[in-house]
Amino acid sequence: MAGPPVDAGSVHDLFTHVRSVIGVILGLSIGRLLQGVAGIIEHPRAQKLWWVHLGWMLWALIFVISFWWWEFHLSQIRDWTLGKYFFLFGYAGLYFLLCSILFPTSLEGYSGYQDYLISRRRWFFGFIAMIAIFDLGDGLLKGSDYIASLGPRYTVHISVMLALAAVGAVARKPAVHATVLILALVELLSWSFAAYDRLF
């Protein structure tokens, strides 16, 4: 849905508005993670912990923070539309849902975080796959030149995350989930420092 032409000042105002909305959602995402960690610190024996779950918490925190850094490039968009706004709202919303799955309001009916996360694996890794797909759309919003500036490493990154999400969604063995976590952490850190430091 296209809107009327806007001047440079209005473009900046629109970017600030969109950035604020995304910031609220990402702030809620980080808050959910930190609140979950605080709950574990307060009551460490309340639920059976699993180091893989804690590893995904760390991964998700880095993921959300790096996403916020990535979204600085929204300032390059000059033709804001309602459709793009809804897309970015949905994109940020996926991060909140991902973080919410890691720390549910209750673990009633589960023996601990390992049992819970493996039982919710299709949702969790489904959100990771959806974020990877939305990531492609987000890159296209910023323009073909921006996509080209990321180089072939970007395609590798998206492919790796989709592959890891597929494995995690179907696997039930804790050892497989541990391997997926380690590979995801290595990929996230490698991509973040390779792409973001080079772009800025």
Side-chain angles (χ1 to χ4, degrees):
M1 180 185 299
V6 293
D7 57 29
S10 297
V11 168
H12 180 267
D13 291 341
L14 280 170
F15 166 64
T16 302
H17 178 69
V18 173
R19 184 180 61 182
S20 298
V21 172
I22 293 176
V24 169
I25 299 174
L26 296 182
L28 290 171
S29 304
I30 294 174
R32 188 64 176 260
L33 293 174
L34 296 181
Q35 186 177 30
V37 173
I40 290 175
I41 293 173
E42 292 172 1
H43 305 286
R45 294 191 177 96
Q47 299 293 343
K48 187 177 180 181
L49 302 179
W50 187 32
W51 72 270
V52 173
H53 170 263
L54 295 176
W56 279 117
M57 181 280 302
L58 175 63
W59 177 89
L61 183 61
I62 298 171
F63 200 37
V64 173
I65 292 172
S66 62
F67 170 71
W68 185 229
W69 182 263
W70 171 277
E71 288 309 292
F72 175 81
H73 288 283
L74 289 176
S75 60
Q76 298 176 358
I77 298 177
R78 289 290 176 264
D79 55 338
W80 283 102
T81 64
L82 187 61
K84 291 177 181 179
Y85 174 71
F86 281 154
F87 174 85
L88 290 168
F89 183 91
Y91 187 19
L94 289 173
Y95 282 81
F96 176 76
L97 293 174
L98 181 74
C99 295
S100 296
I101 284 184
L102 282 173
F103 287 107
T105 55
S106 172
L107 284 178
E108 184 178 354
Y110 301 98
S111 61
Y113 280 106
Q114 177 176 319
D115 181 35
Y116 166 75
L117 190 58
I118 290 180
S119 70
R120 300 289 90 194
R121 67 190 186 281
R122 290 189 178 91
W123 280 102
F124 180 71
F125 290 104
F127 282 130
I128 290 178
M130 289 178 65
I131 288 173
I133 294 171
F134 267 68
D135 197 305
L136 286 170
D138 181 72
L140 292 174
L141 284 182
K142 299 179 178 85
S144 57
D145 290 341
Y146 177 74
I147 290 289
S149 71
L150 298 174
R153 181 66 178 83
Y154 179 63
T155 303
V156 172
H157 170 67
I158 296 298
S159 300
V160 168
M161 293 312 302
L162 288 173
L164 291 176
V167 173
V170 299
R172 294 189 61 89
K173 293 182 178 180
V176 176
H177 281 270
T179 302
V180 170
L181 165 65
I182 292 171
L183 292 175
L185 275 170
V186 170
E187 172 59 25
L188 177 60
L189 291 172
S190 173
W191 166 247
S192 296
F193 284 104
Y196 303 154
D197 280 351
R198 179 169 56 83
L199 288 174
F200 291 92

